[in-house]
Amino acid sequence: MLHRHLLAIPLLAAALGAQAQERASDPLGPLAQCINRSEFRFRQQDRLPAHATTRSVRLATGEAQVSTADGYRLMLFRKSSLPLVNLKIERSAAGRFAADRDAIVAQMGGMAAKGKLPLETDARDGVEVLGLNSASIAHTPGILSLYSLLHAASGTVATAYILNQPGDPLDFATDAQYHALRMQLIASLVRCMADPAP
């Protein structure tokens, strides 16, 4: 089952005000605000603590480290009172994006093989998109889809956990509605990653 494998992925630590160290700049701020200008808006925005400079990803060959020079966790909502997306946006450390990308691509490939799911791949506006999707919303509580979006020009990685919604009101009620909404979300993320300016 896809959600069992996805739930095992370590999540970025949420940054509380008391934990966050002062930073000289906010390179991901414009991206977060661009996402918030879409129909997918965050009600919660947590910044990665400055001391959290790497995260682990599980590969078939063992664990690998992905650099996190900066990052945010954004809980995105649409029309429902229930969250639709748990989104992580991260900036790779200088000179580390290529290695980070390789680790993430290997991780996604391993998860696809383990879950016997197709790994969807695409590239738009300089953003590489990798996706794993459950076959149906009906029997998949928790995480329906996992997407990794990689933008080499800015050294930015986005990881989107798209969530099922167990109660009313819902943002989607059928597989077709979920597919359309998912594609709309990914298009919004790609657009903002490619050009976060207003």
Side-chain angles (χ1 to χ4, degrees):
M1 296 284 289
L2 174 62
H3 67 279
R4 291 178 184 168
H5 302 308
L6 297 184
L7 292 175
I9 300 171
L11 301 180
L12 287 175
L16 300 177
Q19 294 175 317
Q21 298 177 16
E22 290 298 321
R23 297 176 185 266
S25 62
D26 187 10
L28 293 172
L31 173 55
Q33 292 308 314
C34 178
I35 293 166
N36 205 42
R37 288 191 299 270
S38 74
E39 69 176 285
F40 306 96
R41 298 178 177 270
F42 57 77
R43 297 181 190 171
Q44 182 178 341
Q45 177 185 21
D46 299 316
R47 196 167 185 185
L48 191 70
H51 61 79
T53 57
T54 62
R55 64 177 172 92
S56 297
V57 295
R58 188 177 300 170
L59 309 180
T61 55
E63 284 198 347
Q65 298 299 310
V66 171
S67 70
T68 53
D70 202 350
Y72 279 99
R73 180 176 68 108
L74 309 173
M75 293 301 293
L76 303 183
F77 294 75
R78 190 170 169 261
K79 295 178 180 177
S80 173
S81 61
L82 300 170
L84 179 63
V85 186
N86 183 353
L87 177 68
K88 314 293 190 295
I89 54 175
E90 302 164 336
R91 180 64 53 90
S92 289
R96 289 286 307 275
F97 178 82
D100 292 342
R101 177 202 172 274
D102 289 347
I104 291 165
V105 170
Q107 177 196 32
M108 294 289 286
M111 292 174 66
K114 190 173 182 180
K116 298 180 180 176
L117 294 164
L119 177 60
E120 299 179 10
T121 61
D122 193 9
R124 297 178 243 168
D125 298 327
V127 179
E128 184 177 5
V129 180
L130 307 172
L132 294 170
N133 296 292
S134 298
S136 174
I137 67 172
H139 305 292
T140 311
I143 299 170
L144 288 172
S145 300
L146 168 65
Y147 277 84
S148 291
L149 298 91
L150 305 132
H151 187 238
S154 64
T156 303
V157 176
T159 308
Y161 304 85
I162 309 177
L163 309 174
N164 208 339
Q165 297 177 322
D168 291 325
L170 302 175
D171 285 312
F172 53 88
T174 67
D175 288 337
Q177 288 174 353
Y178 173 67
H179 181 268
L181 186 61
R182 185 180 76 215
M183 292 301 95
Q184 188 176 355
L185 168 71
I186 299 306
S188 292
L189 295 179
V190 166
R191 185 168 55 252
C192 283
M193 290 181 76
D195 182 11

